[in-house]
Amino acid sequence: MRRPLLAGNWKMHTNVLEAYLLVAEIGKCSVGLNDRDVLLAPPYTALHSVANVLHDSDILVASQNVCWEEKGAFTGEISPTMVKAAGGTAAIIGHSERRQIFHEDDEMINKRLLGALKFGLMPLFCIGETLEEREAEKTFAVLEGQIRRGLAGVSPEDMKKTVVAYEPVWAIGTGKTASKEQAQEVHAFIRNLLAEMYEKAIADSVRILYGGSVKPDNVDELMAQADIDGALVGGAALDPESFCRIINFT
Ligand code: PEP
């Protein structure tokens, strides 16, 4: 079966010292969680120190984005090999804040995803519809487009290493969570689409995370859904007590 994955995206929060204090707290409450994966995505400046603190732990470290090139004239970017050298093994790609604020399109996200895979990082590939798109009943069409374009050229072998994160834009940082039924419906749609694009066995092995105002009081019911394999958490990942409760979902 699919191993649950609980991921915390710290976004542009925490300086090096704050990151150190936060990871120390999370490290304590993750001891003994052998049946699930926990992942932290600190800002780039704290990636190395967070990975160092976690050296003897099973907690994974991810970057919040990644370039497709290994090195070169790409001011402001971080390369997959830099992430790995800093202790990271994964990268968030296509987060809605990258799409909306920084205008990253599906083609660029696809390049980032292929770059991450080429250099051995596990991509957390984010997709999600806006409120306007949901209200216009375009949710499935929007997601299908994001998935087909974002995964263009991803081989079946690489698909097995990829994590998908469904994050409805209207639920990110808003306190509005998709209901468990809404989330499950979309997760099942994503899995069926992956089965069509690859094969059922691959679709059944891919972890699909839900993201959008996941909190201690809704994590259990979300995680109980058949096609929800984990959570990508923003705001609540910055509060050790909340994140500890989330990773200890029952
Ligand atoms: C996110 O940024 O991926 C996210 C889901 O944020 P929040 O949990 O704050 O809604």
Side-chain angles (χ1 to χ4, degrees):
M1 256 330 263
R2 297 178 295 268
R3 193 173 157 83
L5 169 61
L6 294 307
N9 172 14
W10 294 359
K11 308 194 184 190
M12 198 170 71
H13 296 286
T14 68
N15 60 30
V16 175
L17 177 60
E18 290 161 345
Y20 181 84
L21 297 172
L22 182 54
V23 71
E25 287 302 311
I26 294 167
K28 282 187 232 163
C29 65
S30 68
V31 174
L33 288 179
N34 304 322
D35 60 347
R36 59 199 71 186
D37 290 329
V38 177
L39 175 148
L40 301 175
Y44 299 141
T45 46
L47 201 67
H48 188 237
S49 49
V50 166
N52 264 349
V53 172
L54 296 175
H55 194 254
D56 289 327
S57 117
D58 292 329
I59 297 182
L60 307 167
V61 177
S63 58
Q64 295 177 16
N65 204 353
V66 74
C67 189
W68 51 90
E69 291 287 344
E70 195 178 359
K71 60 174 101 159
F74 297 94
T75 302
E77 290 286 327
I78 186 166
S79 87
T81 47
M82 288 173 182
V83 174
K84 286 172 76 176
T89 56
I92 297 174
I93 295 169
H95 191 279
S96 68
E97 286 149 19
R98 298 305 314 174
R99 293 177 186 263
Q100 299 216 308
I101 305 171
F102 299 98
H103 306 295
E104 291 191 14
D105 60 14
D106 291 325
E107 284 66 35
M108 179 182 282
I109 288 160
N110 175 245
K111 280 169 83 169
R112 293 187 186 280
L113 196 112
L114 292 171
L117 287 163
K118 177 175 168 191
F119 291 101
L121 290 177
M122 175 178 81
L124 272 70
F125 168 48
C126 304
I127 53 169
E129 82 286 2
T130 62
L131 184 58
E132 207 183 8
E133 290 162 344
R134 177 163 278 265
E135 286 177 348
E137 298 187 359
K138 291 186 183 149
T139 299
F140 296 127
V142 167
L143 295 175
E144 178 163 359
Q146 290 176 344
I147 291 171
R148 287 195 186 273
R149 289 188 291 272
L151 294 177
V154 173
S155 68
E157 272 315 298
D158 278 344
M159 191 61 227
K160 290 184 199 162
K161 300 172 194 156
T162 301
V163 173
V164 178
Y166 168 57
E167 299 206 298
V169 180
W170 47 273
I172 295 181
T174 58
K176 285 186 202 159
T177 319
S179 68
K180 56 185 191 310
E181 293 83 8
Q182 280 173 322
Q184 167 57 27
E185 182 188 30
V186 172
H187 281 230
F189 168 80
I190 295 168
R191 204 176 300 288
N192 285 336
L193 180 59
L194 293 176
E196 200 184 303
M197 292 168 62
Y198 294 90
E199 58 182 77
K200 190 170 179 311
I202 291 177
D204 283 343
S205 74
V206 171
R207 291 186 285 189
I208 307 176
L209 315 185
Y210 169 77
S213 299
V214 174
K215 301 274 184 282
D217 60 6
N218 59 24
V219 65
D220 296 339
E221 61 177 24
L222 287 163
M223 290 304 296
Q225 304 306 303
D227 289 291
I228 299 184
D229 308 310
L232 180 51
V233 186
L238 293 168
D239 173 42
E241 205 180 312
S242 295
F243 194 66
C244 286
R245 171 64 185 85
I246 289 169
I247 64 178
N248 281 279
F249 79 89
T250 49

